[in-house]
PDB file of all heavy atoms in Angstrom:
ATOM      1  N   SER G  96     -39.173 -68.688  14.146  1.00  0.00           N
ATOM      2  CA  SER G  96     -40.470 -69.182  13.675  1.00  0.00           C
ATOM      3  C   SER G  96     -40.862 -68.526  12.358  1.00  0.00           C
ATOM      4  O   SER G  96     -41.340 -69.192  11.437  1.00  0.00           O
ATOM      5  CB  SER G  96     -41.572 -68.898  14.706  1.00  0.00           C
ATOM      6  OG  SER G  96     -41.408 -69.711  15.828  1.00  0.00           O
ATOM      7  N   ALA G  97     -40.659 -67.210  12.279  1.00  0.00           N
ATOM      8  CA  ALA G  97     -41.020 -66.486  11.059  1.00  0.00           C
ATOM      9  C   ALA G  97     -40.196 -67.001   9.883  1.00  0.00           C
ATOM     10  O   ALA G  97     -40.720 -67.208   8.779  1.00  0.00           O
ATOM     11  CB  ALA G  97     -40.807 -64.983  11.257  1.00  0.00           C
ATOM     12  N   GLU G  98     -38.904 -67.235  10.125  1.00  0.00           N
ATOM     13  CA  GLU G  98     -38.033 -67.724   9.054  1.00  0.00           C
ATOM     14  C   GLU G  98     -38.443 -69.140   8.641  1.00  0.00           C
ATOM     15  O   GLU G  98     -38.461 -69.477   7.455  1.00  0.00           O
ATOM     16  CB  GLU G  98     -36.571 -67.683   9.530  1.00  0.00           C
ATOM     17  CG  GLU G  98     -35.544 -68.190   8.537  1.00  0.00           C
ATOM     18  CD  GLU G  98     -35.360 -67.307   7.306  1.00  0.00           C
ATOM     19  OE1 GLU G  98     -35.973 -66.234   7.232  1.00  0.00           O
ATOM     20  OE2 GLU G  98     -34.600 -67.716   6.404  1.00  0.00           O
ATOM     21  N   ALA G  99     -38.786 -69.977   9.617  1.00  0.00           N
ATOM     22  CA  ALA G  99     -39.214 -71.346   9.298  1.00  0.00           C
ATOM     23  C   ALA G  99     -40.492 -71.321   8.452  1.00  0.00           C
ATOM     24  O   ALA G  99     -40.620 -72.051   7.470  1.00  0.00           O
ATOM     25  CB  ALA G  99     -39.440 -72.138  10.589  1.00  0.00           C
ATOM     26  N   THR G 100     -41.433 -70.464   8.840  1.00  0.00           N
ATOM     27  CA  THR G 100     -42.677 -70.335   8.088  1.00  0.00           C
ATOM     28  C   THR G 100     -42.383 -69.925   6.652  1.00  0.00           C
ATOM     29  O   THR G 100     -42.933 -70.481   5.702  1.00  0.00           O
ATOM     30  CB  THR G 100     -43.589 -69.283   8.752  1.00  0.00           C
ATOM     31  OG1 THR G 100     -43.846 -69.703  10.086  1.00  0.00           O
ATOM     32  CG2 THR G 100     -44.910 -69.146   7.997  1.00  0.00           C
ATOM     33  N   ARG G 101     -41.490 -68.953   6.510  1.00  0.00           N
ATOM     34  CA  ARG G 101     -41.123 -68.467   5.181  1.00  0.00           C
ATOM     35  C   ARG G 101     -40.552 -69.600   4.330  1.00  0.00           C
ATOM     36  O   ARG G 101     -40.760 -69.651   3.115  1.00  0.00           O
ATOM     37  CB  ARG G 101     -40.094 -67.344   5.333  1.00  0.00           C
ATOM     38  CG  ARG G 101     -39.995 -66.388   4.160  1.00  0.00           C
ATOM     39  CD  ARG G 101     -38.908 -65.347   4.376  1.00  0.00           C
ATOM     40  NE  ARG G 101     -37.569 -65.920   4.398  1.00  0.00           N
ATOM     41  CZ  ARG G 101     -36.915 -66.365   3.317  1.00  0.00           C
ATOM     42  NH1 ARG G 101     -37.479 -66.300   2.140  1.00  0.00           N
ATOM     43  NH2 ARG G 101     -35.712 -66.883   3.428  1.00  0.00           N
ATOM     44  N   LEU G 102     -39.852 -70.540   4.976  1.00  0.00           N
ATOM     45  CA  LEU G 102     -39.215 -71.637   4.256  1.00  0.00           C
ATOM     46  C   LEU G 102     -40.148 -72.850   4.110  1.00  0.00           C
ATOM     47  O   LEU G 102     -39.736 -73.882   3.602  1.00  0.00           O
ATOM     48  CB  LEU G 102     -37.929 -72.043   4.968  1.00  0.00           C
ATOM     49  CG  LEU G 102     -36.836 -70.965   4.997  1.00  0.00           C
ATOM     50  CD1 LEU G 102     -35.719 -71.349   5.951  1.00  0.00           C
ATOM     51  CD2 LEU G 102     -36.281 -70.724   3.595  1.00  0.00           C
ATOM     52  N   GLY G 103     -41.380 -72.712   4.600  1.00  0.00           N
ATOM     53  CA  GLY G 103     -42.339 -73.791   4.401  1.00  0.00           C
ATOM     54  C   GLY G 103     -42.323 -74.858   5.481  1.00  0.00           C
ATOM     55  O   GLY G 103     -42.874 -75.940   5.290  1.00  0.00           O
ATOM     56  N   TYR G 104     -41.692 -74.570   6.617  1.00  0.00           N
ATOM     57  CA  TYR G 104     -41.694 -75.518   7.733  1.00  0.00           C
ATOM     58  C   TYR G 104     -42.566 -75.001   8.863  1.00  0.00           C
ATOM     59  O   TYR G 104     -42.748 -73.797   9.018  1.00  0.00           O
ATOM     60  CB  TYR G 104     -40.273 -75.722   8.271  1.00  0.00           C
ATOM     61  CG  TYR G 104     -39.407 -76.597   7.400  1.00  0.00           C
ATOM     62  CD1 TYR G 104     -38.717 -76.056   6.322  1.00  0.00           C
ATOM     63  CD2 TYR G 104     -39.284 -77.952   7.649  1.00  0.00           C
ATOM     64  CE1 TYR G 104     -37.920 -76.855   5.517  1.00  0.00           C
ATOM     65  CE2 TYR G 104     -38.491 -78.762   6.855  1.00  0.00           C
ATOM     66  CZ  TYR G 104     -37.815 -78.209   5.790  1.00  0.00           C
ATOM     67  OH  TYR G 104     -37.036 -79.007   5.003  1.00  0.00           O
ATOM     68  N   LEU G 105     -43.083 -75.926   9.657  1.00  0.00           N
ATOM     69  CA  LEU G 105     -43.767 -75.542  10.882  1.00  0.00           C
ATOM     70  C   LEU G 105     -42.774 -75.656  12.033  1.00  0.00           C
ATOM     71  O   LEU G 105     -41.955 -76.570  12.067  1.00  0.00           O
ATOM     72  CB  LEU G 105     -44.959 -76.462  11.137  1.00  0.00           C
ATOM     73  CG  LEU G 105     -46.053 -76.361  10.070  1.00  0.00           C
ATOM     74  CD1 LEU G 105     -47.133 -77.385  10.336  1.00  0.00           C
ATOM     75  CD2 LEU G 105     -46.637 -74.957  10.062  1.00  0.00           C
ATOM     76  N   MET G 106     -42.868 -74.725  12.961  1.00  0.00           N
ATOM     77  CA  MET G 106     -41.892 -74.660  14.043  1.00  0.00           C
ATOM     78  C   MET G 106     -42.538 -75.034  15.367  1.00  0.00           C
ATOM     79  O   MET G 106     -43.512 -74.431  15.785  1.00  0.00           O
ATOM     80  CB  MET G 106     -41.375 -73.225  14.142  1.00  0.00           C
ATOM     81  CG  MET G 106     -40.088 -73.114  14.900  1.00  0.00           C
ATOM     82  SD  MET G 106     -38.703 -73.441  13.787  1.00  0.00           S
ATOM     83  CE  MET G 106     -37.485 -73.997  14.942  1.00  0.00           C
ATOM     84  N   LEU G 107     -41.971 -76.003  16.000  1.00  0.00           N
ATOM     85  CA  LEU G 107     -42.421 -76.414  17.326  1.00  0.00           C
ATOM     86  C   LEU G 107     -41.498 -75.769  18.345  1.00  0.00           C
ATOM     87  O   LEU G 107     -40.280 -75.898  18.225  1.00  0.00           O
ATOM     88  CB  LEU G 107     -42.318 -77.933  17.409  1.00  0.00           C
ATOM     89  CG  LEU G 107     -42.930 -78.635  18.598  1.00  0.00           C
ATOM     90  CD1 LEU G 107     -44.442 -78.608  18.510  1.00  0.00           C
ATOM     91  CD2 LEU G 107     -42.449 -80.073  18.628  1.00  0.00           C
ATOM     92  N   LEU G 108     -42.054 -75.075  19.313  1.00  0.00           N
ATOM     93  CA  LEU G 108     -41.210 -74.439  20.323  1.00  0.00           C
ATOM     94  C   LEU G 108     -41.187 -75.300  21.570  1.00  0.00           C
ATOM     95  O   LEU G 108     -42.218 -75.732  22.068  1.00  0.00           O
ATOM     96  CB  LEU G 108     -41.731 -73.045  20.663  1.00  0.00           C
ATOM     97  CG  LEU G 108     -41.723 -72.053  19.514  1.00  0.00           C
ATOM     98  CD1 LEU G 108     -42.155 -70.676  20.010  1.00  0.00           C
ATOM     99  CD2 LEU G 108     -40.357 -71.953  18.875  1.00  0.00           C
ATOM    100  N   ASP G 109     -39.994 -75.524  22.080  1.00  0.00           N
ATOM    101  CA  ASP G 109     -39.821 -76.412  23.214  1.00  0.00           C
ATOM    102  C   ASP G 109     -39.012 -75.657  24.261  1.00  0.00           C
ATOM    103  O   ASP G 109     -37.937 -75.149  23.967  1.00  0.00           O
ATOM    104  CB  ASP G 109     -39.039 -77.650  22.743  1.00  0.00           C
ATOM    105  CG  ASP G 109     -39.055 -78.745  23.770  1.00  0.00           C
ATOM    106  OD1 ASP G 109     -39.730 -78.593  24.803  1.00  0.00           O
ATOM    107  OD2 ASP G 109     -38.380 -79.760  23.539  1.00  0.00           O
ATOM    108  N   THR G 110     -39.533 -75.533  25.463  1.00  0.00           N
ATOM    109  CA  THR G 110     -38.755 -74.862  26.498  1.00  0.00           C
ATOM    110  C   THR G 110     -38.273 -75.891  27.506  1.00  0.00           C
ATOM    111  O   THR G 110     -39.040 -76.720  27.986  1.00  0.00           O
ATOM    112  CB  THR G 110     -39.580 -73.777  27.223  1.00  0.00           C
ATOM    113  OG1 THR G 110     -40.770 -74.359  27.724  1.00  0.00           O
ATOM    114  CG2 THR G 110     -39.950 -72.669  26.262  1.00  0.00           C
ATOM    115  N   THR G 111     -37.001 -75.818  27.809  1.00  0.00           N
ATOM    116  CA  THR G 111     -36.372 -76.806  28.686  1.00  0.00           C
ATOM    117  C   THR G 111     -36.271 -76.325  30.121  1.00  0.00           C
ATOM    118  O   THR G 111     -35.959 -77.105  31.010  1.00  0.00           O
ATOM    119  CB  THR G 111     -34.937 -77.100  28.201  1.00  0.00           C
ATOM    120  OG1 THR G 111     -34.218 -75.870  28.197  1.00  0.00           O
ATOM    121  CG2 THR G 111     -34.947 -77.681  26.796  1.00  0.00           C
ATOM    122  N   GLY G 112     -36.493 -75.022  30.353  1.00  0.00           N
ATOM    123  CA  GLY G 112     -36.320 -74.495  31.703  1.00  0.00           C
ATOM    124  C   GLY G 112     -34.891 -74.650  32.193  1.00  0.00           C
ATOM    125  O   GLY G 112     -34.639 -74.665  33.385  1.00  0.00           O
ATOM    126  N   ALA G 113     -33.934 -74.725  31.263  1.00  0.00           N
ATOM    127  CA  ALA G 113     -32.515 -74.931  31.617  1.00  0.00           C
ATOM    128  C   ALA G 113     -32.356 -76.145  32.514  1.00  0.00           C
ATOM    129  O   ALA G 113     -31.460 -76.218  33.344  1.00  0.00           O
ATOM    130  CB  ALA G 113     -31.923 -73.674  32.272  1.00  0.00           C
ATOM    131  N   ASP G 114     -33.274 -77.103  32.347  1.00  0.00           N
ATOM    132  CA  ASP G 114     -33.289 -78.293  33.195  1.00  0.00           C
ATOM    133  C   ASP G 114     -32.598 -79.426  32.447  1.00  0.00           C
ATOM    134  O   ASP G 114     -32.894 -79.695  31.278  1.00  0.00           O
ATOM    135  CB  ASP G 114     -34.755 -78.646  33.479  1.00  0.00           C
ATOM    136  CG  ASP G 114     -34.890 -79.965  34.203  1.00  0.00           C
ATOM    137  OD1 ASP G 114     -34.449 -80.017  35.361  1.00  0.00           O
ATOM    138  OD2 ASP G 114     -35.428 -80.918  33.616  1.00  0.00           O
ATOM    139  N   ALA G 115     -31.659 -80.085  33.123  1.00  0.00           N
ATOM    140  CA  ALA G 115     -30.845 -81.097  32.437  1.00  0.00           C
ATOM    141  C   ALA G 115     -31.716 -82.228  31.886  1.00  0.00           C
ATOM    142  O   ALA G 115     -31.501 -82.708  30.771  1.00  0.00           O
ATOM    143  CB  ALA G 115     -29.789 -81.649  33.390  1.00  0.00           C
ATOM    144  N   ALA G 116     -32.725 -82.662  32.646  1.00  0.00           N
ATOM    145  CA  ALA G 116     -33.563 -83.776  32.180  1.00  0.00           C
ATOM    146  C   ALA G 116     -34.329 -83.384  30.920  1.00  0.00           C
ATOM    147  O   ALA G 116     -34.418 -84.157  29.957  1.00  0.00           O
ATOM    148  CB  ALA G 116     -34.535 -84.193  33.284  1.00  0.00           C
ATOM    149  N   ALA G 117     -34.858 -82.168  30.910  1.00  0.00           N
ATOM    150  CA  ALA G 117     -35.610 -81.715  29.735  1.00  0.00           C
ATOM    151  C   ALA G 117     -34.677 -81.563  28.539  1.00  0.00           C
ATOM    152  O   ALA G 117     -35.046 -81.883  27.406  1.00  0.00           O
ATOM    153  CB  ALA G 117     -36.307 -80.390  30.050  1.00  0.00           C
ATOM    154  N   GLU G 118     -33.467 -81.080  28.773  1.00  0.00           N
ATOM    155  CA  GLU G 118     -32.510 -80.941  27.672  1.00  0.00           C
ATOM    156  C   GLU G 118     -32.116 -82.318  27.144  1.00  0.00           C
ATOM    157  O   GLU G 118     -31.903 -82.493  25.943  1.00  0.00           O
ATOM    158  CB  GLU G 118     -31.270 -80.153  28.127  1.00  0.00           C
ATOM    159  CG  GLU G 118     -31.579 -78.684  28.398  1.00  0.00           C
ATOM    160  CD  GLU G 118     -30.332 -77.816  28.527  1.00  0.00           C
ATOM    161  OE1 GLU G 118     -29.220 -78.368  28.595  1.00  0.00           O
ATOM    162  OE2 GLU G 118     -30.492 -76.586  28.564  1.00  0.00           O
ATOM    163  N   ARG G 119     -32.039 -83.301  28.043  1.00  0.00           N
ATOM    164  CA  ARG G 119     -31.693 -84.643  27.606  1.00  0.00           C
ATOM    165  C   ARG G 119     -32.778 -85.229  26.698  1.00  0.00           C
ATOM    166  O   ARG G 119     -32.483 -85.950  25.753  1.00  0.00           O
ATOM    167  CB  ARG G 119     -31.512 -85.531  28.842  1.00  0.00           C
ATOM    168  CG  ARG G 119     -30.171 -86.218  28.856  1.00  0.00           C
ATOM    169  CD  ARG G 119     -29.930 -86.847  30.202  1.00  0.00           C
ATOM    170  NE  ARG G 119     -29.070 -86.010  31.016  1.00  0.00           N
ATOM    171  CZ  ARG G 119     -29.364 -85.548  32.221  1.00  0.00           C
ATOM    172  NH1 ARG G 119     -30.519 -85.824  32.791  1.00  0.00           N
ATOM    173  NH2 ARG G 119     -28.503 -84.813  32.873  1.00  0.00           N
ATOM    174  N   LEU G 120     -34.034 -84.885  26.980  1.00  0.00           N
ATOM    175  CA  LEU G 120     -35.125 -85.355  26.125  1.00  0.00           C
ATOM    176  C   LEU G 120     -34.983 -84.787  24.718  1.00  0.00           C
ATOM    177  O   LEU G 120     -35.285 -85.448  23.736  1.00  0.00           O
ATOM    178  CB  LEU G 120     -36.490 -84.975  26.713  1.00  0.00           C
ATOM    179  CG  LEU G 120     -36.958 -85.841  27.878  1.00  0.00           C
ATOM    180  CD1 LEU G 120     -38.317 -85.343  28.381  1.00  0.00           C
ATOM    181  CD2 LEU G 120     -37.068 -87.298  27.466  1.00  0.00           C
ATOM    182  N   VAL G 121     -34.509 -83.532  24.617  1.00  0.00           N
ATOM    183  CA  VAL G 121     -34.261 -82.957  23.294  1.00  0.00           C
ATOM    184  C   VAL G 121     -33.207 -83.790  22.579  1.00  0.00           C
ATOM    185  O   VAL G 121     -33.373 -84.202  21.427  1.00  0.00           O
ATOM    186  CB  VAL G 121     -33.777 -81.492  23.407  1.00  0.00           C
ATOM    187  CG1 VAL G 121     -33.368 -80.956  22.046  1.00  0.00           C
ATOM    188  CG2 VAL G 121     -34.864 -80.616  24.020  1.00  0.00           C
ATOM    189  N   LEU G 122     -32.108 -84.054  23.285  1.00  0.00           N
ATOM    190  CA  LEU G 122     -31.008 -84.817  22.683  1.00  0.00           C
ATOM    191  C   LEU G 122     -31.454 -86.215  22.294  1.00  0.00           C
ATOM    192  O   LEU G 122     -31.050 -86.755  21.276  1.00  0.00           O
ATOM    193  CB  LEU G 122     -29.850 -84.942  23.673  1.00  0.00           C
ATOM    194  CG  LEU G 122     -29.066 -83.681  23.961  1.00  0.00           C
ATOM    195  CD1 LEU G 122     -27.869 -84.036  24.824  1.00  0.00           C
ATOM    196  CD2 LEU G 122     -28.605 -83.026  22.678  1.00  0.00           C
ATOM    197  N   ASP G 123     -32.255 -86.812  23.156  1.00  0.00           N
ATOM    198  CA  ASP G 123     -32.626 -88.204  22.921  1.00  0.00           C
ATOM    199  C   ASP G 123     -33.776 -88.323  21.926  1.00  0.00           C
ATOM    200  O   ASP G 123     -34.274 -89.411  21.680  1.00  0.00           O
ATOM    201  CB  ASP G 123     -32.962 -88.892  24.248  1.00  0.00           C
ATOM    202  CG  ASP G 123     -31.677 -89.170  25.040  1.00  0.00           C
ATOM    203  OD1 ASP G 123     -30.596 -88.958  24.467  1.00  0.00           O
ATOM    204  OD2 ASP G 123     -31.765 -89.576  26.198  1.00  0.00           O
ATOM    205  N   GLY G 124     -34.164 -87.176  21.388  1.00  0.00           N
ATOM    206  CA  GLY G 124     -35.053 -87.214  20.234  1.00  0.00           C
ATOM    207  C   GLY G 124     -36.434 -87.752  20.538  1.00  0.00           C
ATOM    208  O   GLY G 124     -36.987 -88.536  19.782  1.00  0.00           O
ATOM    209  N   VAL G 125     -36.991 -87.287  21.655  1.00  0.00           N
ATOM    210  CA  VAL G 125     -38.327 -87.750  22.026  1.00  0.00           C
ATOM    211  C   VAL G 125     -39.310 -87.586  20.865  1.00  0.00           C
ATOM    212  O   VAL G 125     -40.286 -88.299  20.751  1.00  0.00           O
ATOM    213  CB  VAL G 125     -38.820 -87.027  23.296  1.00  0.00           C
ATOM    214  CG1 VAL G 125     -38.848 -85.527  23.084  1.00  0.00           C
ATOM    215  CG2 VAL G 125     -40.165 -87.525  23.717  1.00  0.00           C
ATOM    216  N   ARG G 126     -39.007 -86.631  19.993  1.00  0.00           N
ATOM    217  CA  ARG G 126     -39.969 -86.345  18.922  1.00  0.00           C
ATOM    218  C   ARG G 126     -39.445 -86.745  17.552  1.00  0.00           C
ATOM    219  O   ARG G 126     -39.915 -86.262  16.539  1.00  0.00           O
ATOM    220  CB  ARG G 126     -40.288 -84.852  18.913  1.00  0.00           C
ATOM    221  CG  ARG G 126     -41.101 -84.486  20.125  1.00  0.00           C
ATOM    222  CD  ARG G 126     -41.071 -83.011  20.346  1.00  0.00           C
ATOM    223  NE  ARG G 126     -41.631 -82.751  21.662  1.00  0.00           N
ATOM    224  CZ  ARG G 126     -41.622 -81.592  22.251  1.00  0.00           C
ATOM    225  NH1 ARG G 126     -41.082 -80.568  21.643  1.00  0.00           N
ATOM    226  NH2 ARG G 126     -42.144 -81.433  23.435  1.00  0.00           N
ATOM    227  N   THR G 127     -38.463 -87.602  17.524  1.00  0.00           N
ATOM    228  CA  THR G 127     -37.807 -87.918  16.263  1.00  0.00           C
ATOM    229  C   THR G 127     -38.778 -88.357  15.183  1.00  0.00           C
ATOM    230  O   THR G 127     -38.612 -88.048  14.012  1.00  0.00           O
ATOM    231  CB  THR G 127     -36.778 -89.034  16.459  1.00  0.00           C
ATOM    232  OG1 THR G 127     -35.967 -88.702  17.563  1.00  0.00           O
ATOM    233  CG2 THR G 127     -35.909 -89.171  15.222  1.00  0.00           C
ATOM    234  N   HIS G 128     -39.781 -89.101  15.599  1.00  0.00           N
ATOM    235  CA  HIS G 128     -40.698 -89.604  14.593  1.00  0.00           C
ATOM    236  C   HIS G 128     -41.615 -88.507  14.067  1.00  0.00           C
ATOM    237  O   HIS G 128     -42.377 -88.724  13.166  1.00  0.00           O
ATOM    238  CB  HIS G 128     -41.509 -90.771  15.164  1.00  0.00           C
ATOM    239  CG  HIS G 128     -42.352 -90.378  16.334  1.00  0.00           C
ATOM    240  ND1 HIS G 128     -41.827 -89.864  17.488  1.00  0.00           N
ATOM    241  CD2 HIS G 128     -43.689 -90.419  16.514  1.00  0.00           C
ATOM    242  CE1 HIS G 128     -42.808 -89.605  18.330  1.00  0.00           C
ATOM    243  NE2 HIS G 128     -43.933 -89.925  17.773  1.00  0.00           N
ATOM    244  N   LEU G 129     -41.532 -87.331  14.667  1.00  0.00           N
ATOM    245  CA  LEU G 129     -42.407 -86.245  14.236  1.00  0.00           C
ATOM    246  C   LEU G 129     -41.657 -85.133  13.529  1.00  0.00           C
ATOM    247  O   LEU G 129     -42.197 -84.488  12.649  1.00  0.00           O
ATOM    248  CB  LEU G 129     -43.109 -85.622  15.453  1.00  0.00           C
ATOM    249  CG  LEU G 129     -44.114 -86.512  16.170  1.00  0.00           C
ATOM    250  CD1 LEU G 129     -44.507 -85.873  17.487  1.00  0.00           C
ATOM    251  CD2 LEU G 129     -45.337 -86.722  15.286  1.00  0.00           C
ATOM    252  N   ILE G 130     -40.420 -84.868  13.948  1.00  0.00           N
ATOM    253  CA  ILE G 130     -39.750 -83.685  13.428  1.00  0.00           C
ATOM    254  C   ILE G 130     -38.512 -84.047  12.619  1.00  0.00           C
ATOM    255  O   ILE G 130     -37.950 -85.127  12.747  1.00  0.00           O
ATOM    256  CB  ILE G 130     -39.381 -82.692  14.541  1.00  0.00           C
ATOM    257  CG1 ILE G 130     -38.408 -83.323  15.530  1.00  0.00           C
ATOM    258  CG2 ILE G 130     -40.618 -82.163  15.226  1.00  0.00           C
ATOM    259  CD1 ILE G 130     -37.893 -82.346  16.549  1.00  0.00           C
ATOM    260  N   ASP G 131     -38.137 -83.072  11.781  1.00  0.00           N
ATOM    261  CA  ASP G 131     -37.026 -83.283  10.851  1.00  0.00           C
ATOM    262  C   ASP G 131     -35.696 -82.778  11.384  1.00  0.00           C
ATOM    263  O   ASP G 131     -34.640 -83.202  10.907  1.00  0.00           O
ATOM    264  CB  ASP G 131     -37.313 -82.543   9.540  1.00  0.00           C
ATOM    265  CG  ASP G 131     -38.518 -83.128   8.841  1.00  0.00           C
ATOM    266  OD1 ASP G 131     -38.612 -84.357   8.812  1.00  0.00           O
ATOM    267  OD2 ASP G 131     -39.354 -82.359   8.363  1.00  0.00           O
TER     268      ASP G 131
END
Side-chain angles (χ1 to χ4, degrees):
Chain G
S96 289
E98 178 69 4
T100 301
R101 202 183 66 74
L102 296 169
Y104 284 85
L105 296 175
M106 198 85 205
L107 190 72
L108 297 185
D109 192 4
T110 55
T111 58
D114 173 67
E118 291 194 350
R119 234 169 260 124
L120 283 179
V121 173
L122 289 187
D123 286 352
V125 58
R126 290 163 191 171
T127 311
H128 62 300
L129 293 169
I130 62 173
D131 295 317

